[in-house]
């Protein structure tokens, strides 16, 4: 008996013990969730490589390379600092305005980057989706990885900046930052799942997302303060609606966690309850949108 | 194959594609409610049942658009059946496009890791195979160059090298077995044979009939989404060839019908084979002489036609063909019926069944009529060899040879 025959028999014997499994993803609502998680877990190494590909390829062949990830938010910071802080005078009611903006910007950039890049992630990886079966969740998920890398670099800069201004946040405030990150990640991932899947069928979605994100930027207290908003719509239904936005909650948590100079500024009442609700609703939404994604992905390969 | 476990089971699978003519939100809203008018159903597969056992090599063949690639994608889980179930066991690797997932800005090395991971290898496994992959691809000096600077040959070499080093139980292959230059192709085929001997299952979509005849132990002919033939590759190929022949004839007759200038019709009415004395013949001993007579009838006068004769083996592969053009002979004209004789001396064919085909062409080389499989010819040999031709090989004995050779 040759080596090959032996191998052949061993393979046949092993295969005979394995169960027949349906090809492709499971679409069932409950059973499918487990299958999706297992699938992504199996491909966790690919996820890591996709994140690296994303980061490496993005600034390849540019002289400054990775520095560009820093230059863009810094430029935005400067523009808002001068235009809104100095010229429009927002600075007068907000101490350490630069820290304030950068805290909000850092949180917002994380959210918007995951949502906008995530929306295009399936279409952008169409070549792969059409030719090889993988749990397609890895594409929107890989976006989160690269967005997080950028995010933590910005966060580090922000922390250094608070050291320079002489008011670094204490460890007791860390819980706000962590909660803020959690809310943003859950909600951004949920939307990335839904939008990336819908975008395959309706390409208008990516343009719609662009506009929605622009509106969303101004709908959170990033370059202005809650104090200024509550004066206008506080206590009305509009105020409640404003506070129902999970990104607004996350941004405020970020500011509370990192912007020490503003500790005595007024906070909306019941922010903690809002945050808890945002987490719970976000998790439910994440699950529902992932199931929608799993249902829609069956036809990705033929729609692309 | 009875003892081997089933690795792929396709049960009553149909696949419908909806061809939509609009893609944007505006068009959908405008056409909302009457969107059926903007849809077209297309059944790529209908009620297909296939069961594939471990260790077999199956060829999916058929004309363009017959659904073979769709079936392969369904097996790979890339597409979902509209109805029916597709099940498999073991690790499946799909090679539907070489280098899918290669990123042009990354180096060859980085792409190897990425691509291997896409095909299901862990980084640790890739580390183990990395040298073998690079070695197989033969592009070692360029492995740290960005793949966008690769030639297309280097690109597919690297991609194929990665693909054959993942360790699949079932390999799905779509028209990618003929890449690179000839030495590389040979390497690929050797690798595929190694896969076969290791008991891996290979499902291949191809238009190369030689490949099917050569590699597969089973072939499935698809036609407009239905399984026409499922079984022995030789039967399947014969069936497919006769289908193609029919399609070609229809094309030719349509062309002749459509063409504005009236063209002279001509036919090869008979193909006969005889010995040099004119006695009919259907079998020879290898090395024998054969006269092939082609009877040709033209409706009118055909100027400077070309006439060809060919010998096909039982798999339909052409083992020999020639024409008056290749022989640099000129026939001034044919009018009415005429007979031509090609003498084929010393036909050193190997044992087997052959078919003689006669063809008549216009001066420019377009075919007027082909009489396929016009006459059968069986060839006998002593059975001392295999391959296309029979050669009377001898072993020369040297005095210093220590081994003795006995008959």
């Amino acid at each position: 008996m040759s080596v090959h025959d032996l191998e052949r028999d061993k393979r046949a014997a092993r295969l005979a013990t394995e169960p027949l499994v349906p090809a492709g993803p499971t679409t069932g609502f409950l059973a499918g969730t487990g299958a999706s998680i297992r699938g992504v877990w199996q491909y966790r190494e690919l996820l890591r490589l996709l994140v690296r590909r994303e980061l490496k390829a993005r600034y390849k062949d540019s002289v400054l390379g990775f520095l560009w990830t820093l230059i863009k938010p810094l430029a935005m910071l400067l523009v808002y600092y001068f235009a809104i802080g100095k010229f429009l005078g927002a600075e007068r009611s907000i101490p350490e305005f630069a820290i304030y903006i950068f805290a909000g910007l850092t949180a917002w950039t994380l959210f918007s980057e995951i949502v906008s890049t995530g929306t295009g992630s399936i279409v952008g990886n169409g070549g792969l989706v059409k030719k090889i079966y993988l749990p397609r969740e890895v594409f929107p998920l890989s976006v989160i990885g690269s967005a997080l890398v950028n995010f933590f670099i910005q966060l580090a800069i922000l922390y250094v900046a608070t050291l320079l201004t002489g008011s670094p946040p204490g460890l007791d405030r860390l819980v706000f930052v962590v909660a803020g990150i959690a809310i943003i990640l859950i909600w951004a991932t949920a939307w990335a799942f839904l939008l990336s899947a819908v975008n395959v069928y309706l390409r208008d979605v990516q343009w719609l997302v662009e506009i929605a994100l622009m509106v969303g930027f101004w709908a959170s207290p990033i370059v202005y303060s809650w104090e200024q908003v509550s004066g206008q719509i506080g206590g009305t239904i509009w105020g409640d609606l404003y506070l129902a936005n999970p990104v607004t909650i996350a941004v405020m948590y970020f500011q509370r966690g990192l912007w020490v100079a503003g500790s005595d500024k007024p906070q909306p009442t019941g922010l903690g309850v809002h945050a808890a609700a945002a987490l719970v609703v976000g998790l439910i939404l994440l699950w529902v949108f992932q199931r929608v994604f799993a249902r829609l992905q069956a036809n990705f390969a033929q729609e692309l | 194959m009875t003892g081997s476990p089933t690795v792929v089971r396709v049960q009553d699978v149909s696949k419908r594609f909806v061809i939509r003519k609009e893609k944007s939100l505006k068009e959908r809203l405008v056409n909302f409610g009457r969107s059926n008018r903007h849809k077209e159903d297309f059944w790529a597969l209908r009620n297909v049942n296939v069961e594939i056992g471990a260790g077999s090599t199956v060829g999916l063949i058929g004309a363009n658009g017959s659904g073979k690639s769709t079936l392969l994608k369904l097996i790979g889980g890339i597409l979902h059946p509209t109805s029916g179930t597709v099940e498999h066991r073991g690790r499946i690797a799909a090679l539907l496009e070489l280098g899918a997932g290669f990123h042009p800005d990354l180096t060859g090395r980085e792409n190897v890791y990425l691509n291997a991971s896409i095909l299901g290898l862990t980084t640790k496994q890739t580390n183990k195979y990395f040298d073998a992959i690079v070695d197989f691809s033969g592009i070692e000096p360029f492995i740290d160059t960005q793949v966008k600077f690769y030639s297309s040959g280097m690109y597919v070499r690297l991609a194929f090298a990665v693909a054959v080093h993942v360790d699949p139980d079932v390999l799905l292959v779509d028209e990618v077995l003929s890449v690179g230059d000839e030495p590389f192709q040979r390497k690929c085929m050797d690798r595929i044979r190694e896969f076969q001997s290791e008991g891996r299952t290979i499902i291949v979509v191809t238009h190369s009939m030689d490949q099917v005849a050569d590699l597969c132990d089973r072939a499935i002919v698809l036609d407009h989404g239905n399984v026409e033939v499922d079984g022995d590759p030789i039967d399947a190929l014969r069936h497919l060839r006769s289908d193609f022949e029919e399609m070609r004839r229809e094309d030719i007759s349509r062309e002749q019908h459509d063409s504005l200038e009236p063209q002279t019709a001509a036919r090869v009415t008979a193909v006969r084979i005889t010995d040099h004395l004119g006695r009919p013949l259907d079998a020879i001993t290898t090395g024998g002489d054969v006269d092939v007579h082609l009877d040709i009838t033209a409706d009118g006068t055909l100027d400077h036609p070309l006439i060809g004769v060919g010998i096909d083996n039982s798999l339909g592969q052409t083992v020999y063909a020639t024409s008056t053009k290749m022989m640099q002979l000129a026939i001034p004209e044919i009018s009415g019926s005429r007979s031509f004789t090609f003498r084929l001396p010393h036909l050193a064919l190997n044992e087997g069944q052959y078919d003689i085909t006669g063809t008549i062409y216009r001066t420019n080389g377009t075919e007027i009529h082909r009489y396929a499989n016009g006459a059968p010819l069986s060839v006998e040999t002593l059975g001392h060899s295999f391959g296309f031709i029979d050669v009377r090989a001898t072993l020369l004995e040297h005095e210093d040879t220590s081994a003795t050779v006995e008959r």
Side-chain angles (χ1 to χ4, degrees):
Chain A
M1 212 180 203
S2 77
V3 185
H4 281 153
D5 286 341
L6 208 67
E7 196 169 332
R8 170 183 282 254
D9 289 348
K10 248 164 63 185
R11 187 183 301 276
R14 174 172 60 75
L15 282 171
T17 62
E18 285 184 27
L20 271 172
V21 292
T26 327
T27 43
F29 217 74
L30 285 170
T33 310
S36 294
I37 293 171
R38 270 198 306 281
V40 172
W41 181 247
Q42 264 177 13
Y43 278 86
R44 60 194 182 280
E45 255 182 298
L46 174 64
L47 203 54
R48 193 173 56 82
L49 286 169
L50 283 175
V51 172
R52 271 195 22 208
R53 174 187 85 171
E54 189 67 26
L55 293 171
K56 269 195 176 171
R58 191 183 300 172
Y59 299 109
K60 203 122 192 174
D61 297 333
S62 63
V63 180
L64 293 180
F66 210 72
L67 279 179
W68 284 112
T69 41
L70 303 180
I71 294 172
K72 197 178 156 200
L74 286 175
M76 272 168 82
L77 172 68
L78 280 179
V79 169
Y80 291 130
Y81 180 75
F82 283 106
I84 296 178
K86 296 275 184 206
F87 304 155
L88 292 179
E91 197 189 25
R92 281 192 291 275
S93 60
I94 304 173
E96 287 189 12
F97 188 62
I99 302 285
Y100 177 82
I101 299 185
F102 206 59
L105 264 184
T106 304
W108 173 257
T109 312
L110 177 63
F111 180 80
S112 70
E113 196 180 337
I114 294 175
V115 173
S116 68
T117 322
T119 300
S121 62
I122 299 289
V123 173
N125 284 294
L128 268 180
V129 173
K130 273 194 292 188
K131 296 296 177 190
I132 291 170
Y133 175 70
L134 311 158
R136 276 77 181 240
E137 283 89 347
V138 297
F139 300 115
L141 286 178
S142 72
V143 169
I144 298 172
S146 61
L148 271 178
V149 172
N150 293 345
F151 168 78
F152 280 113
I153 292 171
Q154 282 186 40
L155 199 62
I157 294 177
L158 180 57
Y159 188 73
V160 171
T162 59
L163 287 177
L164 292 177
T165 56
S167 51
L171 265 182
D172 53 320
R173 289 169 181 263
L174 193 65
V175 61
F176 293 114
V177 178
V178 172
I181 294 176
I183 293 173
I184 284 176
L185 280 186
I186 290 167
W187 281 84
T189 311
W191 283 113
F193 275 142
L194 181 76
L195 295 170
S196 62
V198 176
N199 191 39
V200 173
Y201 297 87
L202 265 181
R203 301 292 160 88
D204 302 61
V205 167
Q206 52 196 330
W207 311 117
L208 213 67
V209 166
E210 231 172 69
I211 295 168
L213 284 174
M214 192 188 73
V215 174
F217 176 77
W218 293 98
S220 295
I222 298 167
V223 292
Y224 53 85
S225 69
W226 161 248
E227 203 179 357
Q228 288 158 328
V229 179
S230 63
Q232 304 284 333
I233 56 171
T236 66
I237 177 109
W238 297 109
D240 293 341
L241 215 58
Y242 187 90
L243 286 175
N245 179 0
V247 184
T248 300
I249 311 287
V251 166
M252 285 177 168
Y253 259 39
F254 252 71
Q255 289 157 351
R256 197 189 257 196
L258 295 158
W259 176 53
V260 179
S263 304
D264 52 346
K265 288 287 170 189
Q267 297 281 345
T269 49
L271 194 58
V273 178
H274 275 111
L279 276 174
V280 173
V281 175
L283 280 173
I284 295 171
L285 212 63
L286 177 61
W287 179 59
V288 172
F289 284 178
Q290 196 277 328
R291 291 331 296 158
V292 175
F293 182 94
R295 178 59 60 90
L296 290 177
Q297 74 158 322
N299 287 331
F300 278 178
Q302 71 199 53
E303 289 287 337
L304 280 168
Chain B
M1 283 296 136
T2 44
S4 63
T6 303
V7 284
V8 173
R9 179 185 289 157
V10 176
Q11 274 176 319
D12 203 26
V13 160
S14 298
K15 178 70 190 172
R16 183 187 59 210
F17 287 114
V18 180
I19 304 165
R20 278 205 202 84
K21 296 185 173 115
E22 83 257 11
K23 197 88 197 176
S24 74
L25 189 62
K26 187 197 94 189
E27 285 170 281
R28 293 229 177 150
L29 286 177
V30 169
N31 298 322
F32 193 74
R34 15 167 214 151
S35 56
N36 280 336
R37 214 179 297 164
H38 295 262
K39 275 190 210 165
E40 222 172 85
D41 279 0
F42 170 74
W43 288 91
L45 289 175
R46 270 183 204 271
N47 307 94
V48 172
N49 285 290
V50 174
E51 198 153 316
I52 295 170
S56 56
T57 302
V58 181
L60 302 179
I61 49 180
N64 285 330
S66 56
K68 50 194 189 313
S69 289
T70 305
L71 181 56
L72 199 69
K73 283 182 177 173
L74 284 167
I75 294 172
I78 298 155
L79 291 177
H80 266 243
T82 310
S83 67
T85 56
V86 181
E87 294 169 306
H88 59 70
R89 51 159 71 104
R91 165 141 59 166
I92 286 203
L95 262 187
L96 301 194
E97 187 182 292
L98 285 176
F102 268 25
H103 195 293
D105 282 331
L106 298 182
T107 66
R109 182 185 301 273
E110 290 162 339
N111 269 311
V112 166
Y113 278 92
L114 187 63
N115 210 236
S117 175
I118 287 168
L119 292 173
L121 282 193
T122 63
T123 308
K124 211 192 275 172
Q125 286 168 316
T126 316
N127 281 335
K128 203 171 78 186
Y129 294 133
F130 187 80
D131 289 338
I133 290 172
V134 175
D135 194 46
F136 189 92
S137 71
I139 56 156
E140 200 173 353
F142 308 100
I143 195 66
D144 285 310
T145 310
Q146 292 177 26
V147 297
K148 66 179 168 193
F149 298 124
Y150 280 22
S151 72
S152 56
M154 288 156 70
Y155 194 88
V156 291
R157 270 165 168 256
L158 189 63
F160 195 88
V162 176
V164 295
H165 281 87
V166 303
D167 179 34
D169 296 313
V170 182
L171 184 67
L172 309 179
V173 185
D174 191 350
E175 288 290 2
V176 290
L177 285 180
S178 30
V179 297
D181 50 21
E182 208 183 322
F184 189 71
Q185 274 183 29
R186 185 157 308 196
K187 225 159 138 182
C188 296
M189 291 315 267
D190 286 350
R191 188 71 195 193
I192 294 287
R193 283 185 208 289
E194 204 177 304
F195 267 29
Q196 287 180 318
S197 68
E198 289 163 356
R200 300 175 205 266
T201 312
I202 302 169
I203 305 173
V204 53
V205 163
T206 181
H207 286 291
S208 158
M209 305 213 179
D210 292 352
Q211 243 171 38
V212 175
D214 196 24
L215 279 177
C216 301
D217 48 40
R218 177 178 166 192
I220 298 171
V221 180
L222 288 163
D223 184 31
H224 295 100
N226 299 303
V227 175
E228 290 259 294
V229 184
D230 179 355
D232 187 51
I234 294 176
D235 294 341
L237 288 176
R238 200 169 286 148
H239 181 91
L240 189 63
R241 278 214 174 82
S242 66
D243 274 3
F244 283 172
E245 187 65 29
E246 207 171 290
M247 277 162 63
R248 219 171 41 85
R249 259 187 219 140
E250 277 170 22
D251 275 358
I252 290 172
S253 71
R254 194 176 324 121
E255 248 165 53
Q256 284 171 350
H257 193 259
D258 289 352
S259 91
L260 293 171
E261 288 173 51
Q263 287 183 317
T264 317
R267 292 181 61 76
V268 180
T269 51
V271 179
R272 290 173 289 120
I273 40 183
T274 64
D275 65 8
H276 65 283
L277 295 173
R279 287 176 298 202
L281 184 75
D282 61 1
I284 58 164
T285 311
T286 183
D289 303 345
V290 167
D291 282 0
V292 178
H293 307 275
L294 304 182
D295 295 342
I296 292 170
T297 305
D299 313 339
T301 306
L302 196 60
D303 280 332
H304 294 97
L306 309 171
I307 300 170
V309 64
I311 305 176
D312 295 346
N313 66 11
S314 57
L315 297 176
Q317 292 163 312
T318 300
V319 294
Y320 175 80
T322 190
S323 71
T324 49
K325 186 178 186 179
M326 282 186 259
M327 291 156 80
Q328 298 185 336
L329 301 171
I331 300 164
E333 60 168 51
I334 301 177
S335 52
S337 295
R338 256 184 86 179
S339 186
F340 294 87
T341 304
F342 287 88
R343 173 156 296 173
L344 311 177
H346 314 303
L347 267 185
L349 295 170
N350 219 328
E351 177 120 10
Q353 292 294 328
Y354 296 87
D355 274 308
I356 313 293
T357 294
T359 316
I360 179 158
Y361 309 90
R362 274 179 227 295
T363 323
N364 61 9
T366 55
E367 202 174 298
I368 304 173
H369 180 241
R370 171 189 294 252
Y371 196 126
N373 306 341
L377 175 70
S378 74
V379 177
E380 282 156 29
T381 67
L382 293 171
H384 288 167
S385 64
F386 68 93
F388 286 137
I389 60 166
D390 186 62
V391 176
R392 293 289 159 83
T394 52
L395 179 66
L396 302 181
E397 287 182 61
H398 294 278
E399 278 169 31
D400 57 345
T401 315
S402 54
T404 47
V405 180
E406 282 176 30
R407 195 73 192 237

